[in-house]
């Protein structure tokens, strides 16, 4: 076996301990290998979260228990992270039992599911944990047999020596646990991988297909009550007064209470949001009873006015003013148009774009818009909480328990060691469950009513009381000279309430004269991360614009991008270009070859292409569209992804296919409309999600094969789908589509 | 409140609930059978699919008072050992991502195959059109149904 040397950080340490009955438990704690230079999008990790710890337990009977540190929301971490440990430990996957770890940021690391970071962040630490444990087992065997450790080999959980001696890991685990944990153990070369890169079935598959209680909504405890919140009918409104007499007369109802989430001046953490701060809560014995009683509440609402919030994230303490008022989509649109004309903040400038635009033979300018989107996780928000004076136990679906704990501790006035957070499997996340306000709500309700409660959002609550993908717009301009060469590029983007522009992404670095600008409009509509935040809009707008640009330049859209990327690779403009031009070109080349692109001409299909880089990975799609029953339909898709080593190829393929389906659905139908602050889509009858018959017949997924440490996968394939759909739609309808959703007429089913 | 004698997964169960309570909540809250999922409550998503006398129905739209002693089958009772051909095909194709919609998908698929053992692509798509999968596993759902149909 060829070994690759790894460096341990000075802060590295591993601890072993004997298990009752002769087993070994390895607790590994070390400095995360994530490169400091790799800025993590949408992540503001406190420094101490770089301390990671993993658990391996080897039982005397050779069963290997591996804890999954990160919460699972369908991205397959409960399978893929343990696979990484098992690989270096060199065990038989059949003997591996996976358990979801407890919330413990000291022992298990950041435990953050999001930012396409799970595998990327845990890759090296988990390999090192597995390798160290394997080495200790070998040492134990060598000592027992009186042979040099260098002569001892392992294979799938068996240690052997040329003399014919052999032992199961379980037999040596007790002794191994008494040894010093070694440092600087070499890791396997990728060519020797026996588990990683092998399609491996979901460890919870059997439980899922038999309906076992896995999700937060399935959580139950003795004496548990159900709680639901009656929230204001519109953003910009708050509770004025209520009369609960009728509701309290309804069967099964225990209490109707009102409470405040954050007191004035409360310092919110970076990922805390308050959709509505005054909560009116109905608590009862069962969901149906609470749903019915809630309808009997008589409530007066009033305008909220401007509110001042104190945010205390990594950027230090700051005051944020959230404006009052009842917003409507039409007025939001007008306001965006107005802001788009105003001077904006310069985010990046190369060369002399002003002069280049002045001297251009042709200037192309296009403006793109996209609406708010609701996450619509299949499992609505919910959380269990049992808060007493001594202790708080909370359980439910949460992407970032470590971010939520400090706020929860302050809200409940309980120290973190008295808070137990259990992470259930999540019925989808897409960024929504990084914002834990539904957990805080559950905990405060439990504290107030002095009982264990499960807070449930109805689908209507979930959709109208969300943390949405912001509304965005961007104007792209390109200057061509008389020979149709691209001489300048300008993007000016904005949104409610954040600007989407990634100033240092392609085509920055590929154009001599470049300008990126951004602006934002404050709003009381709560927003947050949504599968590839900002990128999911940029890839739609920029990749459609590049398609139109290629057409104006008389070039094939793939070749045109490849030429630009070649320029960016060989002679980049500027220094801060975020992407690796060669890897970017690599996915375009792969998708071109696999799809048989040949200039995009096809007798049957209208073909659209797009590519994008985000979350450290590269993805490209060719979307093949037809007209079916008078409607554009994406029948076939080819996808190419470069995310480095693919840990579990079949699950990764599933993830990419899902991203493609999600992208088509949101591009065609996704959109949330406000009228006087009220969300107009309240359930799936009005908010259309893509359905089975609308999904493509085939989605062929290809991964670039390389040995680069894994980068992200959950998000990167999603954004370019929008662009590829837009470009195929142009070929199908002869019309460019600048406003999402592309099929608004059918947006409600 | 009224008492109901129900026949669920071949077992007699008794509940004392409001007659309008949907079977979805009777199963989840009163009988501790959370395999049947809540997704929308308005017959749009299919997460709550169960069988009523072998046919797929939306349990969020089925008041307990309308059930009488007709046979209800839930995901927990689709097979004794979790080895119904549809469940096996689901594992073979590793269909699930988050998994939340999948018990509803499986119940719809099992009902389809019972009435139409050899469904065409169009039959599958139309029978499954009422089951939303937010994670987008539709292609694998179709493939798994085809595999199950062969068994
Ligand atoms: S919960 Fe019944 S169809 Fe959605
Ligand atoms: S697997 Fe997540 S909703 Fe279907």
């Amino acid at each position: 076996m060829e070994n690759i040397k790894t460096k341990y950080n000075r802060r590295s340490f591993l601890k072993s301990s004997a298990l009752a009955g002769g087993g070994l438990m390895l607790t590994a704690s070390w400095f995360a290998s994530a490169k400091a230079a790799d800025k993590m999008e949408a992540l503001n990790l406190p420094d101490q979260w770089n301390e990671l710890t993993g658990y391996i337990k080897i039982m005397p009977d050779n069963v290997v228990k591996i804890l999954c540190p990160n919460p699972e929301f369908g991205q397959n971490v409960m399978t893929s992270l343990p696979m990484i440990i098992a690989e270096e430990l060199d065990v038989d996957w059949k003997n591996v039992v996976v358990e979801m770890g407890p919330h413990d940021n000291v022992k298990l690391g950041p435990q953050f599911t999001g930012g396409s970071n799970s595998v990327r962040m845990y890759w090296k630490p988990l390999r090192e944990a597995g390798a160290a444990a394997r080495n200790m087992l070998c040492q134990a065997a060598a000592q027992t047999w009186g042979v040099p450790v260098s002569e001892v080999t392992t294979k799938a959980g068996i240690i052997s020596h040329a003399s014919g001696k052999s032992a199961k890991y379980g037999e040596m685990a007790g002794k191994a646990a008494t040894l010093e944990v070694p440092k600087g153990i070499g890791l396997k070369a990728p060519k020797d991988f026996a588990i990683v890169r092998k399609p491996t079935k979901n460890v919870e598959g059997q439980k899922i297909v038999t309906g076992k209680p896995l999700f937060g909504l399935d959580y139950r405890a003795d004496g548990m009550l159900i709680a639901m919140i009656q929230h204001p009918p519109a953003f910009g409104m708050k509770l004025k007064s209520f009369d609960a007499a009728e509701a309290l007369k309804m069967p099964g109802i225990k209490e109707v209470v009102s409470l405040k989430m954050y007191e004035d001046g409360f310092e919110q953490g970076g990922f805390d949001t308050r959709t509505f701060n005054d909560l009116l809560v109905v608590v009862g014995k069962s969901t149906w009873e609470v749903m019915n009683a809630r309808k009997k509440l008589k409530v007066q609402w009033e305008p909220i006015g401007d509110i001042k919030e104190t945010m205390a994230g990594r950027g230090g303490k700051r005051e944020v003013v959230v404006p009052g008022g009842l917003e409507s989509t039409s007025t939001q649109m007008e306001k965006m148009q107005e802001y788009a004309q105003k001077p904006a903040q310069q985010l990046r400038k190369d060369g002399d774009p002003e002069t280049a635009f002045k001297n251009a033979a042709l200037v192309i300018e296009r403006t793109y818009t996209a609406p708010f989107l609701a996450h619509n996780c299949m499992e609505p928000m919910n959380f269990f909480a049992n808060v007493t004076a001594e202790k708080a136990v909370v359980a439910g679906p949460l992407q970032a328990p470590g971010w939520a704990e400090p706020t929860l501790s302050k809200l409940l006035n309980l120290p973190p060691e008295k808070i137990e957070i259990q992470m259930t499997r999540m019925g989808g996340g897409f960024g929504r469950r990084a914002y834990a306000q539904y957990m805080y709500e559950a905990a405060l309700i439990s504290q107030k009513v002095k009982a264990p409660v499960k807070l449930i959002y109805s689908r209507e609550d979930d959709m109208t009381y969300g943390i949405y993908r912001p509304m965005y717009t961007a104007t792209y301009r390109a200057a061509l000279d008389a020979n149709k060469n691209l001489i300048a590029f300008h993007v000016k983007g904005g949104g409610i309430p954040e600007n989407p522009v990634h100033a240092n992404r392609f085509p920055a670095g590929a154009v001599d004269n470049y300008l990126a600008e951004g602006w934002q409009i404050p709003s009381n509509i709560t927003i947050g991360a949504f599968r590839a935040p900002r990128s999911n809009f940029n890839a739609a707008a920029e990749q459609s614009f590049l398609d139109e640009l290629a057409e104006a330049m008389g070039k094939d859209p793939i070749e045109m991008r490849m030429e630009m990327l070649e320029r960016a690779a060989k002679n980049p403009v500027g220094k801060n270009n975020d992407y690796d031009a060669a890897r970017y070109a690599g996915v375009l080349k792969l998708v071109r070859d696999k799809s048989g692109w040949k200039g995009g001409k096809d007798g049957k299909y209208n073909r659209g292409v797009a590519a994008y880089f985000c979350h450290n990975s590269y993805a490209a799609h060719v979307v093949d569209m037809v007209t079916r029953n008078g409607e554009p339909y994406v029948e076939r898709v080819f996808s190419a992804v470069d995310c480095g080593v693919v840990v579990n190829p079949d699950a990764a393929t599933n993830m990419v296919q899902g991203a493609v389906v999600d992208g088509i659905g949101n591009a065609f139908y996704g959109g949330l409309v406000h009228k006087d602050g009220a969300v107009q889509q309240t359930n799936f009858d009005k908010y259309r999600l893509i359905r089975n018959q609308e999904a493509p017949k085939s989605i062929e997924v290809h991964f670039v094969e390389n040995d680069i440490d894994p980068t992200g996968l959950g998000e990167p394939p999603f954004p370019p789908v929008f662009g590829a759909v837009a470009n195929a739609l142009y070929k199908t309808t002869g019309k460019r589509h600048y406003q999402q959703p592309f099929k608004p007429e059918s947006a409600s089913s | 409140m009224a008492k109901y004698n129900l026949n669920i997964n071949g077992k007699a169960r008794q509940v004392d609930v409001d007659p309008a309570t949907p079977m979805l909540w009777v199963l989840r809250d009163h009988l501790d059978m959370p395999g049947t999922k809540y997704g929308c409550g308005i017959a749009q998503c299919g997460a709550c699919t169960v069988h009523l006398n072998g046919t797929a129905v939306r349990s969020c739209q089925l008041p307990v008072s309308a059930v009488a002693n007709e046979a209800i089958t839930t995901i927990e009772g689709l097979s004794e050992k979790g080895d119904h051909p549809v469940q096996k095909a689901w594992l073979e194709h590793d269909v699930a991502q988050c998994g939340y919609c999948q018990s509803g998908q499986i119940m719809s698929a099992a009902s389809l195959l019972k009435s139409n053992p050899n469904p065409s692509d169009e039959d599958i798509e139309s029978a499954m059109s009422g089951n939303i999968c937010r994670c987008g596993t539709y292609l694998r759902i179709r493939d798994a149904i085809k595999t199950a149909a062969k068994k």
Side-chain angles (χ1 to χ4, degrees):
Chain A
M1 186 186 297
E2 188 184 311
N3 279 343
I4 296 171
K5 275 275 162 227
T6 64
K7 282 199 301 285
Y8 268 75
N9 186 283
R10 262 180 295 119
R11 290 163 67 192
S12 305
F13 65 93
L14 289 143
K15 265 191 280 183
S16 68
S17 42
L19 282 177
L24 159 74
M25 178 165 81
L26 187 79
T27 310
S29 180
W30 58 93
F31 191 73
S33 50
K35 290 170 213 121
D38 289 347
K39 274 182 243 114
M40 284 170 281
E41 186 179 37
L43 268 182
N44 288 305
L45 289 177
D47 295 333
Q48 71 270 21
W49 287 354
N50 288 327
E51 286 282 337
L52 299 187
T53 312
Y55 279 131
I56 302 164
K57 291 184 196 175
I58 298 173
M59 305 315 217
D61 61 359
N62 228 28
V63 168
V64 180
K65 276 198 186 170
I66 299 181
L67 286 193
C68 174
N70 274 16
E72 170 77 60
F73 68 175
Q75 83 283 41
N76 200 247
V77 280
M78 271 191 82
T79 309
S80 54
L81 294 182
M83 283 171 72
I84 298 169
I85 295 181
E87 176 68 65
E88 294 290 344
L89 186 58
D90 196 9
V91 286
D92 188 342
W93 182 251
K94 286 201 288 293
N95 291 333
V96 172
V97 176
V98 176
E99 284 172 14
M100 185 66 219
H103 174 243
D104 187 336
N105 288 154
V106 177
K107 290 193 181 136
L108 291 177
Q111 302 192 288
F112 171 64
T113 280
S116 299
N117 254 307
S118 296
V119 168
R120 173 168 170 260
M121 188 177 283
Y122 279 95
W123 170 248
K124 203 170 162 209
L126 296 185
R127 291 181 74 193
E128 288 172 348
R134 178 185 161 276
N135 178 278
M136 290 161 76
L137 292 159
C138 288
Q139 283 189 57
Q143 286 175 20
T144 307
W145 299 333
V147 300
V149 68
S150 58
E151 290 178 9
V152 168
T153 59
T154 62
K155 192 161 194 244
I158 310 282
I159 313 168
S160 6
H161 182 255
S163 60
K165 290 196 169 67
S166 89
K168 291 180 176 166
Y169 279 9
E171 297 167 47
M172 292 296 164
K175 188 177 177 90
T178 64
L179 303 174
E180 281 270 302
V181 179
K183 289 192 177 178
I185 301 299
L187 301 178
K188 277 187 177 178
K191 69 174 177 54
D192 296 321
F193 286 161
I195 295 173
V196 165
R197 285 183 163 155
K198 296 266 173 321
T200 304
K201 298 267 189 266
N202 188 335
V203 295
E204 292 207 303
Q206 185 70 29
K207 289 182 185 161
I208 289 167
V209 303
T210 51
K212 293 286 176 300
L214 293 170
F215 301 93
L217 211 59
D218 304 340
Y219 195 94
R220 255 181 116 93
D222 288 343
M224 181 181 89
L225 299 172
I226 300 292
M228 294 184 93
I229 297 168
Q230 178 67 42
H231 66 86
F235 283 90
M237 302 288 279
K238 71 173 187 336
L239 182 65
K240 185 179 178 198
S241 63
F242 66 96
D243 171 0
E246 293 283 309
L248 284 165
K249 279 190 220 142
M250 296 290 285
I253 300 309
K254 297 272 183 193
E255 277 188 73
V256 174
V257 296
S258 75
L259 53 93
K260 225 185 176 80
M261 183 129 105
Y262 304 121
E263 295 300 333
D264 294 342
F266 183 88
E267 290 183 14
Q268 296 173 234
F271 269 62
D272 292 342
T273 58
R274 62 165 123 189
T275 317
F276 299 102
N277 201 40
D278 298 295
L279 309 176
L280 175 57
V281 190
V282 181
V283 182
K285 284 202 300 209
S286 73
T287 314
W288 181 247
E289 287 169 323
V290 172
M291 279 178 170
N292 283 327
R294 195 166 65 149
K295 292 185 197 140
K296 303 283 181 190
L297 290 169
K298 294 200 180 71
V299 196
Q300 305 259 290
W301 310 101
E302 63 184 353
I304 216 166
D306 293 359
I307 44 171
K308 222 185 260 164
E309 295 192 335
T310 310
M311 303 300 289
R314 211 159 72 138
K317 199 168 133 181
R318 65 188 198 282
E319 298 280 325
V320 180
V321 177
V322 179
L326 305 179
E327 299 181 22
S328 295
T329 299
S330 54
T331 49
Q332 288 162 339
M333 279 291 224
E334 280 163 25
K335 222 170 175 180
M336 290 212 304
Q337 280 161 11
E338 180 195 321
Y339 271 66
Q341 304 306 319
K342 291 185 186 175
Q345 186 194 352
Q346 182 179 309
L347 304 170
R348 170 167 170 155
K349 186 173 171 178
D350 298 316
D352 182 358
E354 290 85 358
T355 309
F357 273 102
K358 218 180 286 160
N359 298 336
L362 177 68
V363 172
I364 303 172
E365 177 179 325
R366 299 287 181 262
T367 297
Y368 301 81
T369 62
F372 288 103
L373 294 177
H375 293 82
N376 290 327
C377 303
M378 260 342 259
E379 178 197 18
M381 298 306 118
N382 66 86
F383 231 87
F384 168 82
N386 188 9
V387 179
T388 63
E390 291 78 44
K391 191 174 166 43
V393 177
V394 292
L398 194 61
Q399 287 178 234
W403 298 353
E405 193 185 65
T407 299
L408 187 64
S409 162
K410 276 196 288 175
L411 284 172
L412 298 178
N413 203 12
L414 278 174
E417 49 293 0
K418 293 190 172 168
I419 294 176
E420 180 186 331
I421 302 178
Q422 295 172 23
M423 297 173 289
T424 58
R425 190 176 183 90
M426 290 176 263
F430 311 102
R432 173 64 184 85
R433 296 192 221 266
Y435 306 87
Q437 110 273 23
Y438 54 98
M439 177 180 105
Y440 309 151
E441 290 165 353
L444 289 169
I445 295 166
S446 170
Q447 194 177 44
K448 176 112 180 180
V449 303
K450 299 189 170 58
V453 298
K454 184 162 67 186
L455 170 69
I456 296 181
Y457 282 25
S458 67
R459 174 57 59 194
E460 289 80 4
D461 297 331
D462 191 273
M463 204 176 283
T464 60
Y465 186 17
I467 308 283
Y468 308 104
R469 196 286 296 270
M471 191 176 186
Y472 292 125
T473 185
T475 299
Y476 286 84
R477 292 164 73 221
L480 302 184
D481 68 12
N483 298 321
K484 295 189 178 167
N485 294 312
L486 176 63
I487 53 171
F489 194 93
H490 175 203
V491 52
K492 183 176 177 184
I496 302 174
E498 67 167 15
N499 98 64
V501 180
H502 286 292
N504 297 321
R505 294 230 179 124
F506 183 75
V511 192
D512 287 321
N513 304 296
Y514 174 90
L515 178 63
E517 300 174 288
W519 50 267
Q520 48 273 316
I521 302 171
S523 164
N524 57 36
I525 315 283
T526 39
I527 61 103
F530 183 109
R531 198 174 203 169
R534 302 196 285 158
S535 301
N536 56 36
F537 170 68
N538 293 328
E542 166 209 295
Q543 292 293 310
S544 313
F545 186 66
L546 289 183
D547 201 68
E548 203 165 340
L549 192 54
E551 193 180 28
M553 292 163 79
K555 288 186 177 168
D556 171 75
I558 294 185
E559 294 316 313
M560 175 259 223
R561 285 172 175 81
M562 301 278 260
E563 283 170 22
M564 291 173 78
L565 287 161
E566 201 180 320
R567 160 77 207 269
K570 284 196 180 136
N571 180 21
V573 182
K575 284 198 179 62
N576 291 324
N577 304 321
D578 283 350
Y579 58 97
D580 178 327
R583 290 180 75 186
Y584 200 131
V587 291
L588 276 163
K589 193 169 165 302
L590 185 61
V591 86
R592 182 188 66 191
D593 296 348
K594 295 294 181 186
S595 70
W597 175 254
K598 298 189 201 80
K601 306 238 178 338
D602 188 279
K604 179 174 178 196
Y605 295 110
N606 303 302
R607 318 196 84 182
V609 66
Y612 203 68
F613 158 77
C614 72
H615 298 85
N616 307 288
S617 292
Y618 302 79
H621 306 287
V622 167
V623 155
D624 286 342
M625 199 177 274
V626 294
T627 303
R628 186 179 71 169
N629 307 324
E631 291 273 323
Y633 165 62
V634 178
E635 187 172 288
R636 195 174 70 171
V637 178
F638 296 89
S639 304
V641 179
D642 180 353
C643 59
V645 170
V646 179
V647 174
N648 189 359
D650 189 48
T653 299
N654 197 352
M655 176 70 97
V656 177
Q657 290 170 331
V660 168
V661 172
D662 189 4
I664 296 169
N666 272 300
F668 276 157
Y669 317 120
L672 194 80
V673 172
H674 294 98
K675 193 157 180 246
D676 298 325
V679 171
Q680 298 300 291
Q681 290 86 352
T682 50
N683 204 321
F684 298 138
D685 55 339
K686 303 205 180 82
Y687 196 114
R688 181 160 168 188
L689 296 184
I690 188 166
R691 289 174 183 271
N692 195 308
Q693 72 279 14
E694 292 151 347
K697 301 279 181 215
S698 85
I699 301 171
E700 218 181 279
V701 179
H702 300 274
F703 291 98
V704 173
E705 282 173 33
N706 59 38
D707 291 343
I708 297 170
D709 284 355
T711 47
L713 186 63
E715 288 159 300
F718 180 63
V721 178
F722 292 75
V725 167
N727 299 337
L729 202 53
Y730 166 62
K731 297 258 193 79
T732 307
T733 64
K735 248 180 63 195
R736 292 278 176 191
H737 287 68
Y738 301 104
Q739 286 191 8
Q740 289 175 42
F742 299 140
K743 287 192 189 184
E745 69 285 357
S746 55
S748 61
S749 51
Chain B
M1 292 296 187
K3 283 207 168 62
Y4 295 93
N5 292 305
L6 302 168
N7 168 5
I8 296 171
N9 297 332
K11 291 194 188 87
R13 306 291 301 259
Q14 207 181 51
V15 288
D16 186 6
V17 292
D18 168 21
T21 312
M23 272 312 294
L24 169 64
W25 299 113
V26 171
L27 290 166
R28 292 188 57 86
D29 282 1
H30 301 277
L31 296 172
D32 195 13
M33 296 174 72
T36 304
K37 301 297 186 219
Y38 166 69
C40 68
I42 60 162
Q44 286 288 324
C45 76
C48 65
T49 306
V50 300
H51 295 174
L52 184 65
N53 295 326
T55 303
V57 295
R58 305 287 180 249
S59 67
C60 68
Q61 301 302 305
L62 180 67
V64 62
S65 56
V67 176
N69 60 356
E70 293 181 69
I72 299 256
T73 310
T74 71
I75 187 75
E76 290 96 339
L78 183 63
S79 61
E80 216 162 276
K81 296 195 179 110
D83 56 359
H84 184 282
V86 172
Q87 289 169 315
K88 277 164 68 179
W90 243 249
L91 293 175
E92 188 181 326
H93 290 270
D94 218 2
V95 173
Q97 285 187 34
C98 81
Y100 192 79
C101 73
Q102 300 297 350
S103 48
Q105 306 276 4
I106 289 168
M107 294 310 280
S108 290
S111 168
L112 163 69
L113 291 176
K114 202 166 173 193
S115 63
N116 180 358
N118 253 315
S120 66
D121 290 2
E122 286 66 35
D123 294 340
I124 292 174
E125 287 178 19
S126 88
M128 301 305 292
S129 69
N131 286 78
I132 294 174
C133 175
R134 177 68 182 84
C135 300
T137 64
Y138 296 126
L139 279 73
R140 285 171 187 239
I141 288 170
R142 295 180 201 145
D143 289 347
I145 292 173
K146 287 181 204 161
T147 297
K150 285 192 205 116
K151 301 269 158 78

